[in-house]
Amino acid sequence: MMLKDKNIALYVTGGIAIYKVVDFMRTLIKKGAKVRVAMTKSATEFVTPLTFQILSQHEVHLDTFSEKDPEHVAHVDLADWTDIAVVAPATANTIAKMAAGFADNFVTSSLLATKQPLFIVPAMNTDMFNHEATQENIQTLKKRGAYVVEPDTGFLAEGYEGKGRYPENERIVEELEQFIISSTADLPLKGYKILVSAGGTKERIDPVRYITNDSSGKTGHAIAEAAYQKGAEVTLVTASELKAPQAIQTVRVDSAKEMYEAIDERFAETNILIMSAAVSDYGVAHTATSKMKKERDSETVSIELAENPDILKTMGQKKEQQFLVGFAAETDELEKYAQKKLQEKHLDMIVANEVGRADRGFNVDDNQVIIFTSDHDKIEIPKTSKKNIAHILIDKIVQELEIEE
Ligand code: PMT
């Protein structure tokens, strides 16, 4: 989402990690970015420009003096077109030239003409990376506002371990998305603190058994990401094992009581609370400290349950300026029960979803929901991905809070 329609100038310099950059570029394109490539001469020794040309579906810039269009200066044109400039892999040589302000080839000339944010992925021999000159050059670029990805430590092309390895593309893309968010000043949720709950809580019976439900956490994690992409400072309280981007503060919990504590602790400083978690209404009254033994002479066994705190209802009672969003998982009379929860829990918005169908709701990628607001708005969202629903929900919250986009 963050990369969609972004103009990315990809500057490729001469290092063995180039083959990984081909895949990196494909990921950017798959995520909706428009990519134009420029290469240094030494980069072309590793991979031919044709590879990048075919995949980006555009001419690759190589030479400052091969001006094909008399009305345009290509390296300045590329700089002007750019939303974000990425140098990957960035060699010690190109980093030094950038720090010193050189413009001796297409890549360095275009970079010198670029006013937009700069994202650099160094990859080189460990001694070259650790050299004072390279470290000072990196500091110079950072001081000017560039983002420099930390190389990995691991097995280098030279056949030994060291720092300087080109990192996994997944990490680079994640850091690039974070960098775009932090360098975009006008995101609507900048300055907002959002607390999102996700997943199905686990109520321990004994050290090896628990009671839980089918919630995967997909909904809550998608909401946290959508809020983060709109500039919010997001805390995700999750009972799910799913991963979350580094920039989202993630608090892992198991039981409803732990979830309650994690939310209660942060509620006073929260602007928006979104409770998408499937919280167990009841917990085990007396959790056994050792594994329960099979009862030999009894066909049934009873476990006493005790009511858990209703997190959302309690926050509804405590609420001051906070905007509260609840979910309602219902098998019948969706609207009636959702409206009831909206009022009883003092919510500003509720997302109602029908559960009990295999193709939506719990533990699948899609859902179909209706959003009700306390001012009687009703938005029906036909079956779509939970990611899409998360973005629609966050946009609706922005609209309800009358934040200018
Ligand atoms: O995680 P997924 O696999 O993506 O599935 C998503 C989902 C189906 C879990 C999600 O869309 C959903 O419906 N979440 C709420 C499930 C639920 O517990 O609904 P409820 O109607 O029982 O509760 C109403 C609201 O009160 C919810 O916001 C719930 O988080 C909150 N609650 C409930 C009980 C409790 N003790 N404390 C609470 O805060």
Side-chain angles (χ1 to χ4, degrees):
M1 209 69 168
M2 222 45 241
L3 287 161
K4 189 154 176 16
D5 297 328
K6 286 276 179 302
N7 290 347
I8 297 188
L10 177 60
Y11 297 96
V12 183
T13 72
I16 187 67
I18 291 187
Y19 71 97
K20 295 182 185 170
V21 176
V22 174
D23 195 45
F24 169 62
M25 184 182 76
R26 293 192 63 200
T27 308
L28 298 180
I29 293 169
K30 268 194 221 152
K31 283 186 169 259
K34 294 176 199 144
V35 183
R36 304 280 186 275
V37 180
M39 296 171 83
T40 59
K41 189 167 180 313
S42 42
T44 63
E45 304 283 340
F46 291 91
V47 171
T48 66
L50 192 62
T51 310
F52 286 102
Q53 180 180 308
I54 290 171
L55 293 171
S56 70
Q57 295 180 318
H58 278 276
E59 178 204 351
V60 172
H61 299 285
L62 302 167
D63 180 5
T64 332
F65 298 105
S66 76
E67 292 291 356
K68 291 179 186 148
D69 180 351
E71 286 183 27
H72 295 277
V73 179
H75 66 274
V76 177
D77 246 27
L78 179 62
D80 289 346
W81 170 87
T82 300
D83 290 325
I84 180 151
V86 177
V87 190
T91 57
N93 185 40
T94 296
I95 287 174
K97 287 182 186 177
M98 287 163 75
F102 275 42
D104 64 342
N105 59 34
F106 190 98
V107 166
T108 50
S109 305
S110 191
L111 282 167
L112 198 61
T114 300
K115 294 191 250 2
Q116 299 302 334
L118 187 56
F119 184 90
I120 303 166
V121 192
M124 64 194 74
N125 167 271
T126 191
D127 294 328
M128 290 169 89
F129 181 73
N130 288 329
H131 195 286
E132 257 177 52
T134 307
Q135 286 305 313
E136 275 173 24
N137 290 332
I138 288 175
Q139 287 316 316
T140 304
L141 292 169
K142 280 187 180 172
K143 265 188 233 145
R144 287 187 204 142
Y147 185 96
V148 182
V149 175
E150 202 61 30
D152 268 353
T153 301
F155 192 72
L156 300 168
E158 294 79 354
Y160 53 83
E161 296 269 319
K163 187 169 181 175
R165 249 173 81 93
Y166 184 89
E168 290 301 315
N169 280 326
E170 197 186 334
R171 169 155 82 87
I172 300 175
V173 172
E174 193 178 318
E175 289 187 32
L176 177 61
E177 286 180 329
Q178 282 171 21
F179 179 58
I180 294 173
I181 291 166
S182 61
S183 44
T184 313
D186 54 356
L187 289 168
L189 290 176
K190 276 251 156 109
Y192 280 80
K193 287 193 172 157
I194 301 196
L195 198 51
V196 182
S197 73
T201 56
K202 297 184 185 82
E203 306 300 325
R204 277 250 155 244
I205 300 170
D206 69 14
V208 293
R209 304 181 178 97
Y210 53 77
I211 302 171
T212 189
N213 57 64
D214 280 331
S215 168
S216 61
K218 286 181 181 176
T219 300
H221 282 241
I223 293 169
E225 279 190 46
Y228 166 66
Q229 289 178 7
K230 288 275 173 190
E233 190 184 319
V234 182
T235 303
L236 174 65
V237 178
T238 180
S240 157
E241 307 286 313
L242 290 178
K243 278 201 331 189
Q246 254 180 2
I248 293 177
Q249 202 210 331
T250 306
V251 184
R252 305 269 171 191
V253 294
D254 281 331
S255 66
K257 283 205 182 93
E258 282 173 28
M259 185 171 275
Y260 173 83
E261 276 157 27
I263 288 173
D264 190 45
E265 209 175 284
R266 294 167 175 83
F267 188 66
E269 60 195 35
T270 293
N271 303 111
I272 303 165
L273 169 66
I274 307 173
M275 281 294 298
S276 77
V279 185
S280 296
D281 289 320
Y282 294 91
V284 177
H286 310 286
T287 301
T289 50
S290 50
K291 188 178 166 229
M292 280 172 70
K293 294 273 176 284
K294 189 176 174 190
E295 302 273 345
R296 293 240 166 256
D297 36 347
S298 166
E299 283 187 358
T300 59
V301 66
S302 302
I303 296 167
E304 200 184 343
L305 301 180
E307 198 175 352
N308 271 330
D310 187 320
I311 308 170
L312 193 52
K313 195 170 179 183
T314 315
M315 299 309 135
Q317 284 154 359
K318 288 189 178 188
K319 131 175 172 180
E320 289 170 2
Q321 42 71 39
Q322 291 90 344
F323 189 91
L324 250 57
V325 183
F327 270 69
E330 310 293 344
T331 46
D332 51 293
E333 299 206 66
L334 196 61
E335 178 152 1
K336 182 176 141 195
Y337 290 121
Q339 291 286 8
K340 194 163 174 264
K341 284 176 187 166
L342 182 77
Q343 279 165 22
E344 281 178 1
K345 300 195 184 196
H346 300 109
L347 308 180
D348 299 283
M349 195 180 268
I350 194 153
V351 184
N353 54 171
E354 195 186 322
V355 289
R357 290 171 69 170
D359 65 339
R360 65 198 70 178
F362 281 98
N363 203 15
V364 285
D365 289 336
D366 296 336
N367 209 352
Q368 177 177 351
V369 304
I370 309 176
I371 302 176
F372 298 100
T373 66
S374 56
D375 47 12
H376 311 294
D377 228 357
K378 175 178 173 182
I379 302 126
E380 298 195 44
I381 308 174
K383 190 176 158 218
T384 181
S385 72
K386 286 177 179 173
K387 287 190 181 184
N388 279 345
I389 293 177
H391 285 285
I392 297 169
L393 175 65
I394 294 298
D395 287 345
K396 183 64 190 160
I397 295 172
V398 167
Q399 189 191 330
E400 284 293 299
L401 287 169
E402 295 178 2
I403 304 166
E404 282 195 18
E405 287 218 58

Tab-separated table of all heavy atoms in Angstrom, residues 264-286:
chain	number	residue	atom	x	y	z
A	264	ASP	N	-5.355	-1.650	29.695
A	264	ASP	CA	-5.670	-0.701	30.764
A	264	ASP	C	-4.479	0.226	31.055
A	264	ASP	O	-4.644	1.441	31.218
A	264	ASP	CB	-6.063	-1.486	32.018
A	264	ASP	CG	-6.641	-0.582	33.087
A	264	ASP	OD1	-7.478	0.266	32.736
A	264	ASP	OD2	-6.246	-0.718	34.261
A	265	GLU	N	-3.294	-0.386	31.074
A	265	GLU	CA	-2.056	0.367	31.347
A	265	GLU	C	-1.821	1.505	30.344
A	265	GLU	O	-1.269	2.526	30.670
A	265	GLU	CB	-0.915	-0.640	31.168
A	265	GLU	CG	0.340	-0.436	31.971
A	265	GLU	CD	1.253	-1.638	31.703
A	265	GLU	OE1	0.987	-2.726	32.255
A	265	GLU	OE2	2.179	-1.478	30.908
A	266	ARG	N	-2.261	1.283	29.104
A	266	ARG	CA	-1.969	2.244	28.032
A	266	ARG	C	-3.168	3.121	27.661
A	266	ARG	O	-3.033	4.045	26.861
A	266	ARG	CB	-1.516	1.484	26.773
A	266	ARG	CG	-0.193	0.791	26.977
A	266	ARG	CD	0.120	-0.221	25.883
A	266	ARG	NE	1.455	-0.783	26.069
A	266	ARG	CZ	1.756	-1.793	26.887
A	266	ARG	NH1	0.803	-2.371	27.590
A	266	ARG	NH2	2.996	-2.228	27.003
A	267	PHE	N	-4.325	2.824	28.223
A	267	PHE	CA	-5.555	3.462	27.744
A	267	PHE	C	-5.560	4.987	27.916
A	267	PHE	O	-5.990	5.711	27.018
A	267	PHE	CB	-6.773	2.840	28.434
A	267	PHE	CG	-8.078	3.310	27.868
A	267	PHE	CD1	-8.444	2.993	26.567
A	267	PHE	CD2	-8.947	4.090	28.625
A	267	PHE	CE1	-9.644	3.434	26.023
A	267	PHE	CE2	-10.146	4.540	28.096
A	267	PHE	CZ	-10.494	4.207	26.795
A	268	ALA	N	-5.043	5.458	29.080
A	268	ALA	CA	-5.111	6.906	29.366
A	268	ALA	C	-4.421	7.729	28.272
A	268	ALA	O	-4.878	8.814	27.922
A	268	ALA	CB	-4.481	7.188	30.720
A	269	GLU	N	-3.331	7.187	27.722
A	269	GLU	CA	-2.604	7.970	26.711
A	269	GLU	C	-2.965	7.580	25.273
A	269	GLU	O	-2.285	7.973	24.322
A	269	GLU	CB	-1.092	7.825	26.928
A	269	GLU	CG	-0.627	6.404	26.824
A	269	GLU	CD	0.767	6.175	27.387
A	269	GLU	OE1	1.103	6.849	28.387
A	269	GLU	OE2	1.481	5.345	26.820
A	270	THR	N	-4.057	6.820	25.139
A	270	THR	CA	-4.468	6.361	23.798
A	270	THR	C	-5.520	7.301	23.220
A	270	THR	O	-6.359	7.812	23.945
A	270	THR	CB	-5.065	4.933	23.937
A	270	THR	OG1	-4.011	4.062	24.315
A	270	THR	CG2	-5.701	4.443	22.667
A	271	ASN	N	-5.462	7.511	21.901
A	271	ASN	CA	-6.506	8.308	21.257
A	271	ASN	C	-7.610	7.425	20.672
A	271	ASN	O	-8.770	7.805	20.668
A	271	ASN	CB	-5.919	9.166	20.122
A	271	ASN	CG	-4.815	10.067	20.601
A	271	ASN	OD1	-3.650	9.876	20.267
A	271	ASN	ND2	-5.168	11.047	21.417
A	272	ILE	N	-7.190	6.268	20.149
A	272	ILE	CA	-8.169	5.385	19.509
A	272	ILE	C	-7.900	3.944	19.966
A	272	ILE	O	-6.763	3.477	19.879
A	272	ILE	CB	-8.053	5.470	17.962
A	272	ILE	CG1	-8.224	6.920	17.465
A	272	ILE	CG2	-9.068	4.542	17.278
A	272	ILE	CD1	-7.787	7.160	16.026
A	273	LEU	N	-8.951	3.274	20.446
A	273	LEU	CA	-8.822	1.851	20.803
A	273	LEU	C	-9.685	1.030	19.849
A	273	LEU	O	-10.867	1.314	19.678
A	273	LEU	CB	-9.279	1.611	22.253
A	273	LEU	CG	-9.449	0.149	22.667
A	273	LEU	CD1	-8.106	-0.597	22.676
A	273	LEU	CD2	-10.097	0.029	24.053
A	274	ILE	N	-9.071	0.034	19.218
A	274	ILE	CA	-9.819	-0.841	18.308
A	274	ILE	C	-9.714	-2.272	18.835
A	274	ILE	O	-8.640	-2.863	18.831
A	274	ILE	CB	-9.271	-0.759	16.860
A	274	ILE	CG1	-9.215	0.709	16.385
A	274	ILE	CG2	-10.123	-1.613	15.909
A	274	ILE	CD1	-8.547	0.918	15.048
A	275	MET	N	-10.839	-2.807	19.316
A	275	MET	CA	-10.839	-4.148	19.927
A	275	MET	C	-11.326	-5.174	18.910
A	275	MET	O	-12.524	-5.438	18.799
A	275	MET	CB	-11.769	-4.166	21.145
A	275	MET	CG	-11.212	-3.564	22.407
A	275	MET	SD	-9.819	-4.458	23.143
A	275	MET	CE	-10.560	-6.024	23.536
A	276	SER	N	-10.377	-5.742	18.170
A	276	SER	CA	-10.790	-6.779	17.216
A	276	SER	C	-10.534	-8.173	17.781
A	276	SER	O	-10.884	-9.178	17.160
A	276	SER	CB	-10.066	-6.603	15.886
A	276	SER	OG	-8.758	-7.073	15.996
A	277	ALA	N	-9.914	-8.241	18.957
A	277	ALA	CA	-9.599	-9.548	19.549
A	277	ALA	C	-10.872	-10.301	19.911
A	277	ALA	O	-11.896	-9.699	20.238
A	277	ALA	CB	-8.750	-9.359	20.801
A	278	ALA	N	-10.762	-11.628	19.827
A	278	ALA	CA	-11.850	-12.471	20.311
A	278	ALA	C	-11.471	-12.858	21.743
A	278	ALA	O	-10.656	-13.753	21.961
A	278	ALA	CB	-12.004	-13.691	19.424
A	279	VAL	N	-12.037	-12.095	22.675
A	279	VAL	CA	-11.666	-12.262	24.089
A	279	VAL	C	-12.577	-13.303	24.733
A	279	VAL	O	-13.803	-13.213	24.604
A	279	VAL	CB	-11.821	-10.913	24.841
A	279	VAL	CG1	-11.320	-11.032	26.277
A	279	VAL	CG2	-11.111	-9.790	24.100
A	280	SER	N	-11.989	-14.262	25.433
A	280	SER	CA	-12.821	-15.271	26.109
A	280	SER	C	-13.654	-14.604	27.193
A	280	SER	O	-13.101	-13.898	28.045
A	280	SER	CB	-11.941	-16.315	26.791
A	280	SER	OG	-11.206	-17.004	25.838
A	281	ASP	N	-14.935	-14.838	27.154
A	281	ASP	CA	-15.797	-14.254	28.188
A	281	ASP	C	-15.522	-14.888	29.543
A	281	ASP	O	-15.717	-14.270	30.578
A	281	ASP	CB	-17.268	-14.442	27.812
A	281	ASP	CG	-17.646	-13.554	26.634
A	281	ASP	OD1	-17.169	-12.405	26.619
A	281	ASP	OD2	-18.380	-14.009	25.739
A	282	TYR	N	-15.074	-16.160	29.507
A	282	TYR	CA	-14.778	-16.863	30.759
A	282	TYR	C	-13.359	-17.416	30.751
A	282	TYR	O	-12.861	-17.839	29.712
A	282	TYR	CB	-15.763	-18.031	30.956
A	282	TYR	CG	-17.183	-17.533	31.155
A	282	TYR	CD1	-18.029	-17.375	30.061
A	282	TYR	CD2	-17.628	-17.188	32.423
A	282	TYR	CE1	-19.319	-16.884	30.234
A	282	TYR	CE2	-18.917	-16.699	32.599
A	282	TYR	CZ	-19.756	-16.539	31.508
A	282	TYR	OH	-21.020	-16.052	31.684
A	283	GLY	N	-12.746	-17.407	31.914
A	283	GLY	CA	-11.424	-18.017	32.084
A	283	GLY	C	-11.549	-19.194	33.045
A	283	GLY	O	-12.608	-19.405	33.653
A	284	VAL	N	-10.467	-19.942	33.182
A	284	VAL	CA	-10.493	-21.096	34.085
A	284	VAL	C	-10.350	-20.569	35.523
A	284	VAL	O	-9.422	-19.806	35.820
A	284	VAL	CB	-9.341	-22.066	33.722
A	284	VAL	CG1	-9.280	-23.242	34.690
A	284	VAL	CG2	-9.519	-22.554	32.281
A	285	ALA	N	-11.295	-20.969	36.382
A	285	ALA	CA	-11.318	-20.415	37.743
A	285	ALA	C	-10.052	-20.768	38.518
A	285	ALA	O	-9.474	-19.924	39.192
A	285	ALA	CB	-12.556	-20.905	38.485
A	286	HIS	N	-9.593	-22.017	38.403
A	286	HIS	CA	-8.387	-22.431	39.148
A	286	HIS	C	-7.449	-23.156	38.202
A	286	HIS	O	-7.647	-24.347	37.927
A	286	HIS	CB	-8.765	-23.340	40.329
A	286	HIS	CG	-9.862	-22.765	41.164
A	286	HIS	ND1	-9.656	-21.711	42.021
A	286	HIS	CD2	-11.191	-23.062	41.231
A	286	HIS	CE1	-10.814	-21.391	42.584
A	286	HIS	NE2	-11.753	-22.192	42.118
